[in-house]
Amino acid sequence: MTLNNMRRVFFFIAVVAMMATSAFAQQPTATTERGKLAPTPPMGWMTWNMFKGDISEQLIKETADAMVESGLRDAGYKYVFIDDLWQGGRDNRNNIIPDPKKFPNGIKALADYVHSKGLKLGIYSDAAQLTCGGCTASYGFEEQDARTFASWGVDYLKYDYCNAPEDSATARLRYKTMADALSKSGRDIVLGICEWGQRNGEEWCEHVGGQLWRTSSDVRDMWKDIVNQGGVGILDIINVTAPLSKQVRHGQWPDMDMLVVGLNGKGGPSSDLGGVGCTYTEYQTQMSMWCMMSSVLALSNDLRHLTPEDKRILLNKEIIAIDQDPLGKAAERVVNEAGHQVFVRPLANGSHAVAILNSGDKAQRLSVSFKQLGLTGKYTVRDVWQHRDIASGATKWGGKVQAHETKVFVLR
Ligand code: GAL
């Protein structure tokens, strides 16, 4: 090679190296620390309970429209979330792709639509080779899939744990691998840990880079598992989550699974294992207790056909304010009797939310002295379901509570 040719080759290599470095330097990096990705419990809607695999671009768009028109978006429900069975495998470069029949224009176009409505997009994958529904999942492709999700504009990943090794150490490793991949992806993407509480996700979620942890197996549209078929209902999930309240803190939220409010026994997966539907008193209790516990609020009914009762429960700003309270503390269960439970939650403005739950099957008169809850002053009592102050200067409350009803008061 002549000296001139050598110079040319050297110059060429230098230019390529510079281009590569600058391309690398320009790669966007996610800006928010993982611990700050979900300052309050995420709120939105998920496809699974009602629609299972019957999902499509059209359903997501119509749901996004309904979230805006119904006022749900403005009440805080921001995520439109595509659960399992959206996948169409991988292309010849191993990029994960959506089912082309369900999502003919791809997920990016859908995310653009959802974002144009002031909403965010959530998607689902699993820490194994296959999801619970048997679709392509992300194990071994974490970085590639995280980059794909980021390029589509995804804001939230629910990461499931079907078909993965049972032990906790492997689960932590697999969730951390995905959280790290999301951090490198160039986009702020919330990570939801969905190992159903079986490996105590609440103890290590923060450490591996997750923002929320499922506390139970899948919710069924029922009050409780009276038929012992293995499904869990509203009261069952309250009982498994109540002891975890000390693990709740800013950016680390319990996911008590989807709200079944408004499904009325007509959902898909939520209707098996005894999921025959609930009364509106029971649905109101679910909303009350999910908010008292600072849970993620994921609606799962068909938002295109909301009834006035659905709206009354789901759009109650006073109960939502408790869920989203900036102090970020979950309620403590201070009374746990066979027929009733009482919960207290401190709020940022110095007041306290108190929930009185009749877990029995008959109406009963209950009374609670505020002193027994550690609240020694005299209080104005606001009923957040009646939207009015019901007492002032009070040191106790007594009254009738219907079967499965929950009274929620703010004491100030
Ligand atoms: C379950 C999960 C459900 C839903 C389903 C999809 O493991 O708990 O919420 O995502 O997988 O297959």
Side-chain angles (χ1 to χ4, degrees), residues 254-404:
D255 174 0
M256 296 168 75
D257 203 5
M258 291 164 247
L259 293 170
V260 290
V261 178
L263 284 168
N264 293 310
K266 295 197 200 104
S270 57
S271 287
D272 61 9
L273 302 181
V276 292
C278 298
T279 65
Y280 271 93
T281 302
E282 293 165 343
Y283 286 145
Q284 183 172 308
T285 281
Q286 190 190 28
M287 184 71 180
S288 299
M289 289 311 304
W290 268 228
C291 291
M292 287 295 290
M293 303 302 296
S294 316
S295 175
V296 171
L297 298 180
L299 314 174
S300 64
N301 54 328
D302 187 342
L303 301 186
R304 298 165 304 179
H305 305 289
L306 289 169
T307 65
E309 268 302 80
D310 298 337
K311 287 191 180 175
R312 185 185 67 78
I313 293 175
L314 300 174
L315 287 165
N316 180 342
K317 294 201 169 124
E318 295 190 54
I319 197 77
I320 292 173
I322 294 176
D323 184 67
Q324 299 287 304
D325 184 76
L327 193 61
K329 294 242 192 267
E332 292 284 333
R333 183 162 61 184
V334 284
V335 176
N336 185 17
E337 302 288 335
H340 78 283
Q341 307 186 8
V342 182
F343 295 79
V344 186
R345 174 175 176 169
L347 301 173
N349 64 3
S351 47
H352 287 80
V354 173
I356 303 163
L357 160 64
N358 177 357
S359 53
D361 296 334
K362 290 199 180 111
Q364 44 178 327
R365 282 198 71 78
L366 293 171
S367 63
V368 175
S369 98
F370 300 151
K371 204 168 156 197
Q372 113 195 59
L373 312 178
L375 305 172
T376 48
K378 292 189 171 171
Y379 297 91
T380 299
V381 179
R382 183 168 182 83
D383 183 322
V384 309
W385 287 107
Q386 286 187 45
H387 303 292
R388 64 184 183 91
D389 293 349
I390 54 165
S392 61
T395 56
K396 59 181 193 285
W397 178 86
K400 193 168 175 187
V401 189
Q402 299 301 332
H404 306 173

Side-chain angles (χ1 to χ4, degrees), residues 66-341:
M67 284 172 82
V68 177
E69 282 153 24
S70 60
L72 285 165
R73 178 197 63 186
D74 294 343
Y77 298 92
K78 290 285 184 322
Y79 291 94
V80 187
F81 187 93
I82 310 170
D83 209 295
D84 202 0
L85 306 182
W86 63 268
Q87 308 86 334
R90 293 188 183 275
D91 68 11
N92 56 11
R93 292 185 177 174
N94 278 329
N95 292 315
I96 196 161
I97 51 169
D99 179 328
K101 287 207 194 77
K102 294 175 180 173
F103 300 98
N105 296 300
I107 305 293
K108 166 94 176 75
L110 192 52
D112 289 347
Y113 184 84
V114 165
H115 290 150
S116 77
K117 300 270 160 181
L119 296 163
K120 296 179 175 204
L121 191 78
I123 212 159
Y124 166 101
S125 194
D126 187 294
Q129 273 153 0
L130 293 176
T131 67
C132 300
C135 292
T136 303
S138 296
Y139 179 61
F141 292 91
E142 290 87 350
E143 290 205 359
Q144 189 171 353
D145 288 359
R147 277 198 302 275
T148 301
F149 298 149
S151 74
W152 289 343
V154 165
D155 304 292
Y156 177 152
L157 175 67
K158 170 176 174 180
Y159 206 41
D160 214 341
Y161 203 69
C162 278
N163 305 311
E166 293 226 333
D167 65 288
S168 167
T170 306
R172 290 175 208 211
L173 190 64
R174 290 192 180 193
Y175 278 104
K176 184 168 186 318
T177 306
M178 183 46 99
D180 291 347
L182 293 174
S183 292
K184 277 200 217 162
S185 74
R187 192 173 171 86
D188 287 338
I189 302 179
V190 170
L191 177 64
I193 288 177
C194 183
E195 56 78 55
W196 321 288
Q198 291 171 8
R199 280 148 287 262
N200 298 96
E202 72 280 359
E203 288 172 6
W204 44 265
C205 173
E206 183 170 26
H207 180 66
V208 302
Q211 285 68 56
L212 41 118
W213 28 275
R214 267 280 292 275
T215 64
S216 72
S217 53
D218 294 9
V219 65
R220 291 324 200 268
D221 187 6
M222 62 187 180
W223 175 243
K224 65 177 178 183
D225 181 20
I226 37 169
V227 280
N228 270 327
Q229 291 188 40
V232 290
I234 293 169
L235 184 62
D236 304 311
I237 297 182
I238 293 169
N239 283 330
V240 294
T241 309
L244 308 179
S245 60
K246 290 238 163 23
Q247 303 281 359
V248 177
R249 57 197 169 275
H250 282 288
Q252 289 295 305
W253 310 111
D255 174 0
M256 296 168 75
D257 203 5
M258 291 164 247
L259 293 170
V260 290
V261 178
L263 284 168
N264 293 310
K266 295 197 200 104
S270 57
S271 287
D272 61 9
L273 302 181
V276 292
C278 298
T279 65
Y280 271 93
T281 302
E282 293 165 343
Y283 286 145
Q284 183 172 308
T285 281
Q286 190 190 28
M287 184 71 180
S288 299
M289 289 311 304
W290 268 228
C291 291
M292 287 295 290
M293 303 302 296
S294 316
S295 175
V296 171
L297 298 180
L299 314 174
S300 64
N301 54 328
D302 187 342
L303 301 186
R304 298 165 304 179
H305 305 289
L306 289 169
T307 65
E309 268 302 80
D310 298 337
K311 287 191 180 175
R312 185 185 67 78
I313 293 175
L314 300 174
L315 287 165
N316 180 342
K317 294 201 169 124
E318 295 190 54
I319 197 77
I320 292 173
I322 294 176
D323 184 67
Q324 299 287 304
D325 184 76
L327 193 61
K329 294 242 192 267
E332 292 284 333
R333 183 162 61 184
V334 284
V335 176
N336 185 17
E337 302 288 335
H340 78 283
Q341 307 186 8

